Amino acid sequence: SSYSKGSRGLSVLPRVHCIFTASSISLSLGGWYTRIVDPTNHVAFAAVAGSYCPKSTSCNNMEGNAGYLAFVYQLDSNSKFDVIETYPNSTFIYVGPEGEPVTKNPAFATPPDFLWKTTTTANITNNTISLSFPDVGYSFFAEMSDVILWDPSNPGEGPEGIVDELPLQQHWFVYSLASEVLYSVTLPDGSSISGSGFAHQEKNWGSSFPSEWVWAEGISEDKTRQFALSGGKVPVVGPIGVHAWLLGFRSPSISWNFRPQDIPTIFTPEINACNGTFTMTASYFTQTIKLSMSAPLSTFTPLAIPSSAGFVPDGCVESYATTVLVQAYEGDDLVDEFTFTSAALEFGGNYMCSN
């Protein structure tokens, strides 16, 4: 599955370690999502990049395949973001420090180095983003450093844990919960914005994508807290899927993960895209996280998503103006509480509002 974004859920970046896949092995969709927030200037940006290889064709080591590229820009943190979406006919992916062709699936132990590019518009790596859209007058550059790994003691592990190694139809990997970023963007009127902030970097890959999902992430203005969540109906075998959720929350006092394989983890979601709200209670023995998210309906923007037939428009809606209250309990004791602002919330597939 490719997009993040986080979609979205596709969110963009590498899996720390061999980043793509040759569909001759098992996968046909792959992509990265990087979301950047600048709490000082109250702006946000994102790059979404993905490639698609039809199952009936040779992927040619992921060189020259069709793909998707989006540049998201929000110049007012309380508003709806805008997006430039393109569907390049040829994308190219190389992995490793030497830029080798893609010949195998992602693995825990390989470096995060990768390059995704088009012939003219984009060059994206695990450390830099360079985009140029001369037809509409936008260009963007960002440089990331000082990543915050999902598990610093095990750099190859992401939200899925050991399940990441199983041959599932779709995988989600968070490379960094909050990288340091320097960026600059040129606007159509010739003016420019430069600043610094934090980046959430992630990757999806697989042979299919969920039929319905919610994705969300947030970073505190001082970078001391982060959360990331994704879940919905996850494909398992052919059209058969199961509902599953993944959640992580980091603060100065706790670092908690919630995964379905960690029995007896219980997830209780409430999804209402028509109101722009989502709540989740996740419990594991004595640990409980409660999340309450809301975003004005006027701030949601549609984005394309990966599918078995390639990337299709308007497959999800996403807001960058989301408020998220997180409450963490150890037994009956509230051990941490924090409200994220300018977080991201996405409803996809069948979870989107029918209106």
Side-chain angles (χ1 to χ4, degrees):
S1 322
S2 149
Y3 160 150
S4 118
K5 156 326 236 141
S7 46
R8 332 134 292 4
L10 297 200
S11 258
V12 184
L13 256 231
R15 146 131 234 183
V16 168
H17 315 276
C18 191
I19 306 283
F20 239 97
T21 172
S23 72
S24 58
I25 298 174
S26 64
L27 307 184
S28 58
L29 294 165
W32 297 267
Y33 178 100
T34 296
R35 178 175 180 259
I36 296 168
V37 292
D38 177 350
T40 300
N41 292 318
H42 306 289
V43 296
F45 307 96
V48 185
S51 296
Y52 165 71
C53 175
K55 294 180 181 180
S56 60
T57 64
S58 169
C59 287
N60 190 33
N61 292 334
M62 300 308 293
E63 296 180 277
N65 294 288
Y68 173 72
L69 173 65
F71 171 54
V72 172
Y73 54 100
Q74 181 195 39
L75 303 183
D76 176 353
S77 60
N78 295 315
S79 68
K80 178 178 182 177
F81 65 69
D82 293 297
V83 60
I84 300 169
E85 294 182 299
T86 65
Y87 299 83
N89 292 324
S90 295
T91 64
F92 302 84
I93 302 157
Y94 304 97
V95 297
E98 304 301 323
E100 300 293 327
V102 176
T103 58
K104 58 185 178 181
N105 293 327
F108 271 91
T110 55
D113 307 82
F114 81 99
L115 167 65
W116 185 97
K117 69 175 186 176
T118 65
T119 54
T120 59
T121 306
N123 280 270
I124 297 174
T125 75
N126 49 308
N127 299 318
T128 61
I129 299 171
S130 179
L131 308 175
S132 177
F133 303 96
D135 292 346
V136 291
Y138 282 91
S139 64
F140 181 77
F141 180 81
E143 185 173 12
M144 283 77 68
S145 62
D146 298 328
V147 303
I148 294 182
L149 300 174
W150 186 268
D151 183 356
S153 66
N154 184 5
E157 182 168 298
E160 296 181 10
I162 194 63
V163 172
D164 194 34
E165 293 291 330
L166 300 180
L168 303 179
Q169 292 187 48
Q170 195 262 343
H171 288 282
W172 177 50
F173 179 80
V174 175
Y175 172 57
S176 178
L177 287 160
S179 302
E180 296 282 345
V181 180
L182 296 174
Y183 73 86
S184 62
V185 58
T186 301
L187 306 177
D189 63 3
S191 64
S192 63
I193 300 172
S194 298
S196 61
F198 313 121
H200 173 96
Q201 301 176 264
E202 67 174 74
K203 171 177 172 54
N204 297 78
W205 74 99
S207 58
S208 63
F209 207 68
S211 58
E212 53 194 24
W213 71 89
V214 173
W215 172 85
E217 68 85 15
I219 304 170
S220 66
E221 291 189 2
D222 62 1
K223 196 187 172 185
T224 61
R225 288 174 168 84
Q226 311 91 33
F227 84 92
L229 171 144
S230 186
K233 190 172 184 180
V234 181
V236 178
V237 179
I240 300 174
V242 298
H243 284 86
W245 298 88
L246 297 164
L247 168 63
F249 174 63
R250 307 289 185 267
S251 79
S253 59
I254 62 175
S255 178
W256 289 357
N257 298 318
F258 295 86
R259 298 178 288 229
Q261 71 266 28
D262 294 336
I263 300 172
T265 302
I266 299 173
F267 295 95
T268 307
E270 293 185 11
I271 304 155
N272 192 330
C274 293
N275 287 337
T277 61
F278 173 79
T279 63
M280 167 66 77
T281 299
S283 299
Y284 177 69
F285 288 107
T286 61
Q287 297 177 351
T288 299
I289 288 275
K290 295 182 179 181
L291 299 97
S292 179
M293 310 185 191
S294 64
L297 294 179
S298 61
T299 64
F300 284 89
T301 299
L303 291 167
I305 63 168
S307 75
S308 59
F311 292 87
V312 296
D314 303 337
C316 69
V317 292
E318 189 170 333
S319 171
Y320 282 4
T322 306
T323 300
V324 182
L325 172 63
V326 180
Q327 296 172 305
Y329 293 85
E330 185 73 61
D332 294 329
D333 297 327
L334 180 65
V335 295
D336 205 339
E337 182 177 42
F338 187 77
T339 299
F340 292 88
T341 58
S342 301
L345 173 62
E346 176 180 289
F347 298 104
N350 298 329
Y351 282 161
M352 289 193 297
C353 182
S354 58
N355 294 329

